[in-house]
Amino acid sequence: MPKVQRPLLEQESLLGLGPFLGLAPQQVLELTCLVGVALALCAVLLEPLRDSLIYFLLRLLYLSLYNVGGDFLRSEWDVLLLEAGLLAVLVAPLGLLRRRSSYRYHDPVSFWLTRWLFFRLTFSTGVSKLASGDPAWYDLSALSHHLENQMNPTPLAWYGHQLPDWLLRFGAVVVLQSEIIVPLVTFFAPIRRLRLFGFYVQLFLQLYYILTGNCSLLNLLSITLSFSLLDEEHFNSNTGPKKKKGQEKKPGSCGQMVSYLMLLVELAVYLFILYCFITLFKLQINWEEKTLSSKTNFTQKEFHAFLEVFQELTIWIGVLSFTWEVVSAMLNCVCTRGIVSKLWSLIQWALITAAAAAVFALSVVPYTSMAGMSASKVLPAVQDMYSAVERYQLVGAYGIQHRMISTKGRPEIILEGSYDGLTWTEMNPMYKPGNVNAVPPIVGPHQPRLEWLMWQAAQGGDDTSPWFTGLLQRLLQGKPEVVGLLQVDKAQYPFSQKPPVFIKAKLYNYHFTDPTKDKTHLQAWWRRQYKREFFPIVNLDDPTLEKLLEKAGLKEKFPAQTGSDTPVSQAVSLIRDHVKGLSGSLLLSTLLATLAGIFLIKAVFSWFLGGRKPRPASADHKTRKPKEPSETAEKSQAAAPSNRGGKKDSNEKKDSDKSPRKRK
């Protein structure tokens, strides 16, 4: 970061506040991460802190890291986290305006944005596979190659790679159907069971990605966003009092006709999905060999014609669905009792609706930028508004980072170091394939950034990765911060005592071993073939390295900025010294295990105390007449608001029971 002091409001990142705080940029970077971790942990453990203000601060902290992270923070899951963080600010309650007597009828409006984001993410990801013209997806061989070509394959990916070819081809069909057809016909369907079907399809798809490719932030966010397809009834169906036989209210003839009509529509949707399976991919069952053959029945040109039709259609479906939620929320606010409550609810509804409409309009611009689509139909005013706020990453584009799946193996960069230029030793990172006998690592939910960039550089070449030259320079200098990115265990790093004098990089093609073919590799997980030299031999005094650093723009133009010895800097240094020897995977897993342990202890204490003390509700229930439980159930169902529900709703109900109007 250049040593230039800007006004506070012109700072693009909180790291620019270092000179004002007497801290170096590195210390502000670490402090930003620590504050974010502390706020996130507090929000998870304490319900009152799950507030719009807390989520706004979390998003501000991560945006500060994103703006200075460069290539290391330009991934699709970073953009998704920033947009989901913005929606969290709109969905979560605002403690400054929270009142026990207030009604949150506008919740469906803000919560609808999460469903729209989930649709854009899923649909764009599926569309990009075919719109990019990737031949591996058109011949349905993508899944077998994807298992070994993904960023961090797991041991289960090796076993999945051994499945029959016809089954893997059918799996590719299921993936395409789940990401393109299923979102189109289920995510915004007015029938509840269709939305539940879409939810479970996406849930199982993400679990497949997690089991074969490690749990990543993208998978966790996708599962979280998929809950926007559910409703309160899905969670509270077994919590309400059960009615006795004969007390259930039978639907009238008109209600039966509507239910039968909805059932027919639901069956028609399922048949349409099955029709797409059979027609678009020519599914045929060979009963003699007990196999299933599949083949794409459309061309890339025909698929682009499909996108041209459904691009505008999906946007208008979103407009209609959003309008329905807005009008429904407004009617609920109008029906609120009391003039003050009605006015306050309408004010909240108007503010949330305006913010949601702005976010929806902005999201249309990156949504239409996916491969095969045209943004010419977007209003110029919306495009200008998107350009004005683009640097804040309010909305993102998904599916545009799709990379062609290599059918010739997994390209991998292997670093080698030497003291004399004759004997070379490999420097294998912790989280990527290197040693062919090493078990594929389990790293999720940690997302190793350096391995991710090296995985991309192996596919794109050194010309597209200027940071790679800086990596080699720091390894030659023996920088402990950079060496720790490759390996935290000094026993596993061959140059822990003294940095190498020479360093180079080779490119190999890795394949999963096949026990039926690779008889000589029974103990190995991988087999590899040398492809070419990725980076020439260099040392610190090599003028070639200096030219490459100059070309990559990595020559130091500003002196290192040092901070003053303040209590904050001392505390940050102390924490850094305690965690620098731990891997990112171990550190994050420990934090999550700690949270799981806290919630488990809390649940045990709640169960133990709940078993010792009778609940007042059950005691009151015993004193009532036999006919009152059904009436109570009907009243509770009628009084339940349309929002997500929680402790706040129960408090509102208690307050309304104590009011004079309720007793009267």
Side-chain angles (χ1 to χ4, degrees):
M1 292 189 61
K3 192 175 182 180
V4 178
Q5 296 186 10
R6 300 180 182 177
L8 182 61
L9 297 179
E10 295 182 7
Q11 298 286 349
E12 295 183 356
S13 172
L14 294 178
L15 272 65
L17 302 179
F20 299 97
L21 301 176
L23 300 175
Q26 173 71 13
Q27 294 175 328
V28 184
L29 173 68
E30 296 170 347
L31 183 62
T32 302
C33 295
L34 290 174
V35 172
V37 171
L39 286 177
L41 289 176
C42 292
V44 171
L45 295 175
L46 304 175
E47 184 177 353
L49 293 183
R50 298 168 199 166
D51 190 83
S52 294
L53 182 59
I54 298 298
Y55 292 123
F56 175 77
L57 293 177
L58 286 172
R59 191 186 187 281
L60 179 63
L61 293 173
Y62 203 80
L63 182 62
S64 297
L65 301 179
Y66 179 86
N67 287 336
V68 299
D71 294 333
F72 286 83
L73 287 176
R74 289 297 185 268
S75 64
E76 192 169 87
W77 58 81
D78 291 309
V79 178
L80 180 62
L81 180 59
L82 288 171
E83 184 171 356
L86 173 65
L87 300 187
V89 176
L90 297 177
V91 172
L94 182 58
L96 298 177
L97 301 178
R98 185 187 303 160
R99 296 290 185 273
R100 289 188 174 183
S101 59
S102 64
Y103 296 91
R104 293 179 55 82
Y105 291 119
H106 60 269
D107 277 355
V109 177
S110 57
F111 201 60
W112 179 90
L113 290 174
T114 61
R115 189 187 306 178
W116 172 246
L117 171 58
F118 185 50
F119 170 79
R120 288 191 290 117
L121 172 66
T122 307
F123 185 69
S124 300
T125 302
V127 162
S128 64
K129 293 178 171 64
L130 297 175
S132 61
D134 194 337
W137 284 105
Y138 277 93
D139 62 16
L140 301 181
S141 64
L143 206 58
S144 59
H145 301 300
H146 168 76
L147 288 171
E148 63 183 9
N149 272 280
Q150 57 188 330
M151 178 182 168
N152 294 112
T154 64
L156 284 179
W158 184 90
Y159 290 101
H161 187 73
Q162 315 305 322
L163 294 175
D165 180 67
W166 66 268
L167 187 57
L168 291 174
R169 293 172 66 88
F170 177 70
V173 175
V174 172
V175 170
L176 292 175
Q177 286 281 99
S178 301
E179 293 182 343
I180 299 177
I181 302 299
V182 173
L184 280 175
V185 296
T186 62
F187 280 19
F188 298 103
I191 302 176
R192 177 176 177 268
R193 287 191 294 265
L194 287 177
R195 296 195 301 271
L196 292 180
F197 173 76
F199 166 76
Y200 285 109
V201 168
Q202 302 305 321
L203 179 63
F204 285 121
L205 183 63
Q206 294 302 323
L207 290 178
Y208 159 76
Y209 287 145
I210 290 174
L211 292 176
T212 60
N214 274 295
C215 177
S216 69
L217 182 60
L218 184 63
N219 303 127
L220 294 177
L221 286 172
S222 299
I223 293 176
T224 303
L225 293 173
S226 68
F227 278 82
S228 60
L229 300 175
L230 304 179
D231 51 20
E232 287 186 351
E233 186 178 353
H234 189 72
F235 295 97
N236 302 331
S237 58
N238 298 324
T239 58
K242 297 182 179 180
K243 296 182 180 182
K244 297 181 180 180
K245 291 184 178 181
Q247 292 182 342
E248 294 86 352
K249 185 180 278 187
K250 296 182 179 180
S253 58
C254 183
Q256 288 182 347
M257 290 181 60
V258 173
S259 61
Y260 288 146
L261 181 61
M262 293 176 65
L263 181 60
L264 290 176
V265 174
E266 184 180 354
L267 292 176
V269 171
Y270 295 144
L271 291 176
F272 174 74
I273 296 175
L274 182 61
Y275 172 80
C276 293
F277 263 103
I278 299 175
T279 307
L280 297 180
F281 299 98
K282 287 186 177 181
L283 293 184
Q284 294 181 353
I285 301 177
N286 190 330
W287 297 104
E288 295 181 358
E289 299 181 1
K290 297 181 180 180
T291 59
L292 182 67
S293 63
S294 54
K295 181 182 179 181
T296 53
N297 196 24
F298 54 89
T299 63
Q300 185 178 359
K301 183 178 180 180
E302 292 173 342
F303 183 75
H304 279 282
F306 160 81
L307 284 185
E308 288 294 331
V309 175
F310 279 87
Q311 171 191 4
E312 190 173 355
L313 180 60
T314 54
I315 295 175
W316 280 111
I317 290 176
V319 171
L320 293 176
S321 178
F322 178 71
T323 304
W324 172 268
E325 296 291 350
V326 169
V327 174
S328 178
M330 183 190 67
L331 293 177
N332 288 330
C333 293
V334 173
C335 296
T336 306
R337 289 185 178 182
I339 298 178
V340 177
S341 298
K342 185 179 300 184
L343 181 61
W344 179 236
S345 299
L346 286 173
I347 292 175
Q348 295 182 71
W349 167 84
L351 294 176
I352 293 296
T353 300
V359 173
F360 173 65
L362 290 174
S363 67
V364 173
V365 178
Y367 172 64
T368 55
S369 66
M370 75 173 75
M373 288 191 173
S374 173
S376 59
K377 296 182 180 180
V378 181
L379 295 177
V382 177
Q383 294 181 354
D384 295 340
M385 183 172 59
Y386 175 79
S387 301
V389 298
E390 185 177 5
R391 61 173 181 167
Y392 300 110
Q393 298 297 323
L394 301 180
V395 293
Y398 307 103
I400 60 176
Q401 294 186 1
H402 175 76
R403 292 180 175 271
M404 298 289 184
I405 297 179
S406 174
T407 58
K408 299 180 181 180
R410 174 194 182 94
E412 279 292 348
I413 300 172
I414 301 300
L415 299 174
E416 295 183 2
S418 174
Y419 290 118
D420 54 8
L422 300 176
T423 304
W424 295 89
T425 306
E426 293 186 2
M427 298 180 287
N428 295 318
M430 295 179 287
Y431 305 124
K432 62 187 286 293
N435 184 3
V436 295
N437 297 319
V439 181
I442 304 295
V443 301
H446 173 61
Q447 198 75 61
R449 300 285 175 168
L450 179 59
E451 281 78 0
W452 169 63
L453 281 178
M454 294 183 70
W455 172 69
Q456 287 189 322
Q459 301 177 31
D462 58 338
D463 294 337
T464 61
S465 308
W467 57 267
F468 191 79
T469 308
L471 171 66
L472 300 186
Q473 180 195 25
R474 298 310 183 191
L475 291 177
L476 289 171
Q477 295 173 346
K479 287 283 186 177
E481 298 88 349
V482 179
V483 173
L485 295 177
L486 289 180
Q487 187 62 253
V488 294
D489 187 1
K490 294 183 178 180
Q492 300 295 328
Y493 186 65
F495 303 99
S496 58
Q497 301 297 328
K498 181 182 177 182
V501 178
F502 302 94
I503 196 169
K504 65 179 180 179
K506 294 181 179 180
L507 191 65
Y508 289 85
N509 274 346
Y510 277 69
H511 295 270
F512 274 138
T513 56
D514 189 346
T516 60
K517 299 179 181 179
D518 303 321
K519 300 296 184 180
T520 58
H521 298 82
L522 295 179
Q523 303 298 325
W525 292 83
W526 300 93
R527 57 182 175 85
R528 70 181 188 181
Q529 297 175 341
Y530 175 76
K531 188 175 181 181
R532 62 179 175 85
E533 182 184 72
F534 186 82
F535 203 92
I537 301 175
V538 292
N539 57 44
L540 285 177
D541 299 328
D542 194 340
T544 303
L545 180 63
E546 294 294 325
K547 293 180 180 179
L548 291 174
L549 290 173
E550 186 74 31
K551 181 180 178 181
L554 296 177
K555 293 290 292 182
E556 295 182 357
K557 299 179 181 180
F558 301 94
Q561 303 177 32
T562 59
S564 57
D565 191 13
T566 62
V568 176
S569 62
Q570 294 178 0
V572 170
S573 301
L574 181 63
I575 297 175
R576 184 200 312 120
D577 293 337
H578 277 81
V579 302
K580 67 180 181 181
L582 303 176
S583 65
S585 177
L586 177 62
L587 184 62
L588 187 55
S589 300
T590 303
L591 287 174
L592 295 178
T594 303
L595 286 175
I598 293 174
F599 280 111
L600 180 61
I601 295 174
K602 183 179 178 180
V604 170
F605 271 95
S606 299
W607 174 81
F608 180 75
L609 296 177
R612 297 288 299 273
K613 297 180 181 180
R615 297 181 178 179
S618 60
D620 295 340
H621 178 70
K622 292 180 180 180
T623 60
R624 294 177 179 174
K625 297 180 181 180
K627 65 178 183 179
E628 288 185 356
S630 61
E631 298 175 0
T632 305
E634 294 176 2
K635 291 180 180 179
S636 61
Q637 292 177 0
S642 60
N643 59 358
R644 298 180 308 279
K647 285 187 175 182
K648 181 178 177 182
D649 298 330
S650 61
N651 293 333
E652 294 173 359
K653 185 177 178 182
K654 291 178 181 179
D655 293 343
S656 61
D657 291 340
K658 295 178 182 180
S659 64
R661 180 178 298 179
K662 185 69 178 178
R663 291 198 300 268
K664 182 177 179 180

